[in-house]
């Protein structure tokens, strides 16, 4: 077992890696330490679990965050307890367990507020905004994001601010307000760069690229997303790489690379299933359905649209389900 000075040095190293988005490096570094040295520190266990989640190893991530929660409760560390509850909520959300996620987050939020833990207030509010956005309740999502942004500003947390602006961009993108979406993504990129967070800088540029694609500038989007993917591969960020491969497929679909786009959408679906990211799988399957309809392969388009609908319905994405119902009814009307 390490002494207090060695444990503090290890914690500082891990925090520095985490703050710059180097989650694969966190897993590598802590993976070389004895488990008891990590287990004795709820902060280390939490950072280890969060890092596992970021690189797509959700089961291991949840196990370590649960260790952090138990140790925090044993030690009476209510700040880490709230952070661990938020992390478990975020992981449940990513894997499509939306009701469980909401319960964890609503447990974390008042605890974080009581501890004046602005960062965890921001994280929990941001995650609750994602749930509202997923359910198509865009107004409530903006309310949660506004709360999150204010909390991150109080904490002077540029990574948190970048995350919220990114998710606000997705909110406006879903509503079809691409100008506002682009403004939010530009703010997200600026904050991520200010934070020195390479992972977030890549992810936010990916969101900006998709908005430019939806605005009709497929060539800009392709160049941008290829740079983003190179950065994500260097970081070992397989989750955001899968997200942005979907955007790359969209750029190929708009530039006569339809065969490549089809194969890439299918690859993203498989990656999303492997990573247990049901929302991404649903998005890629929906996008594939739209491509196949453009190629006049209507039966295949309907099959993928139905599967996407099942995936979206499973996670409570009511607005996306409604859009796919319209897509399917339009297809039926043509026959």
């Amino acid at each position: 077992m390490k002494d207090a000075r060695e444990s503090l040095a290890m914690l500082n190293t891990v925090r520095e890696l985490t703050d710059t988005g180097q989650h694969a490096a966190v897993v590598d570094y802590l993976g070389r330490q004895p488990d008891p040295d990590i287990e004795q520190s709820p902060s280390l266990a939490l950072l280890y679990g969060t890092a596992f989640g970021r690189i797509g190893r959700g089961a291991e991530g949840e196990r370590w965050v649960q260790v952090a929660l138990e140790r925090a409760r044993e030690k009476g560390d209510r700040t880490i307890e709230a952070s661990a509850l938020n992390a478990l909520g975020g992981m449940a959300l990513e894997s499509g367990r939306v009701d469980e996620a909401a319960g964890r987050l609503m447990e974390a939020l008042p605890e974080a507020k009581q501890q004046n833990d602005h960062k965890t207030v921001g994280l929990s509010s941001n995650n609750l905004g994602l749930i509202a956005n997923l359910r198509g309740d865009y107004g409530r999502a903006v309310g949660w994001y506004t709360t999150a942004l204010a909390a991150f500003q109080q904490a002077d947390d540029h990574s948190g601010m970048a995350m919220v602006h990114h998710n606000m961009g997705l909110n406006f993108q879903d509503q079809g307000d691409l100008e506002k979406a682009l403004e939010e993504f530009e703010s997200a990129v600026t904050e991520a760069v200010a934070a020195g967070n390479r992972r977030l800088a890549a992810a936010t540029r990916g969101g900006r690229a998709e908005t430019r694609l939806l605005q009709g500038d497929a060539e800009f989007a392709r160049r941008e997303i290829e740079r983003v993917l190179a950065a994500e591969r260097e970081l070992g960020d397989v989750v955001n790489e899968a997200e942005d491969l979907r955007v790359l497929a969209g750029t190929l679909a708009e530039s006569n690379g339809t065969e490549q786009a089809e194969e890439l959408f299918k690859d993203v679906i498989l990656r999303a299933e492997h990573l247990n990211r049901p929302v991404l799988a649903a998005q890629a399957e929906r996008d594939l359905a739209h491509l196949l309809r453009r190629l006049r392969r209507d039966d295949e388009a309907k099959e993928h649209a139905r599967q996407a609908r099942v995936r979206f319905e499973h996670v409570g994405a009511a607005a996306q389900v409604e859009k796919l119902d319209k897509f399917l009814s339009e297809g039926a009307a043509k026959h």
Side-chain angles (χ1 to χ4, degrees), residues 94-251:
E94 287 169 347
S95 61
R97 303 179 336 256
V98 180
D99 290 340
E100 177 188 335
R104 291 282 197 182
L105 295 167
M106 291 305 292
E107 191 178 355
L109 187 57
E111 189 68 51
K113 286 181 176 177
Q114 190 170 347
Q115 300 303 314
N116 289 317
D117 180 356
H118 299 303
K119 181 172 182 177
T120 302
V121 170
L123 289 168
S124 297
S125 299
N126 176 70
N127 283 330
L128 287 163
L130 286 171
I131 291 174
N133 209 88
L134 186 62
R135 290 171 170 167
D137 193 344
Y138 300 120
R140 179 169 292 182
V142 169
W144 282 119
Y145 292 145
T146 301
T147 299
L149 190 59
F152 285 129
Q153 286 168 341
Q154 283 185 281
D156 194 28
D157 185 333
H158 290 280
S159 288
M161 288 183 264
M163 196 164 35
V164 176
H165 283 299
H166 177 84
N167 292 334
M168 286 279 279
L170 294 175
N171 180 294
F172 288 121
Q173 196 179 86
D174 285 348
Q175 296 178 76
D177 192 338
L178 300 182
E179 287 301 322
K180 283 187 178 178
L182 191 59
E183 288 176 13
E184 293 293 339
F185 284 124
E186 293 288 1
S187 295
V189 172
T190 298
E191 295 292 354
V193 170
N197 190 318
R198 295 170 61 202
R199 174 187 166 275
L200 263 177
T204 52
R205 292 202 309 272
R208 181 174 67 184
E210 183 170 21
T211 300
R212 293 292 293 270
L213 172 62
L214 293 170
Q215 289 179 321
D217 194 346
E219 183 56 28
F220 173 90
R222 184 187 60 78
R223 291 195 306 269
E224 178 86 313
I225 211 67
E226 286 176 348
R227 288 193 291 268
V228 166
L229 285 165
E232 288 166 345
R233 285 164 182 154
E234 183 182 344
L235 288 166
D237 187 353
V238 295
V239 174
N240 279 326
E241 180 186 353
E243 295 271 0
D244 289 320
L245 282 171
R246 182 183 67 83
V247 181
L248 178 60
T251 69

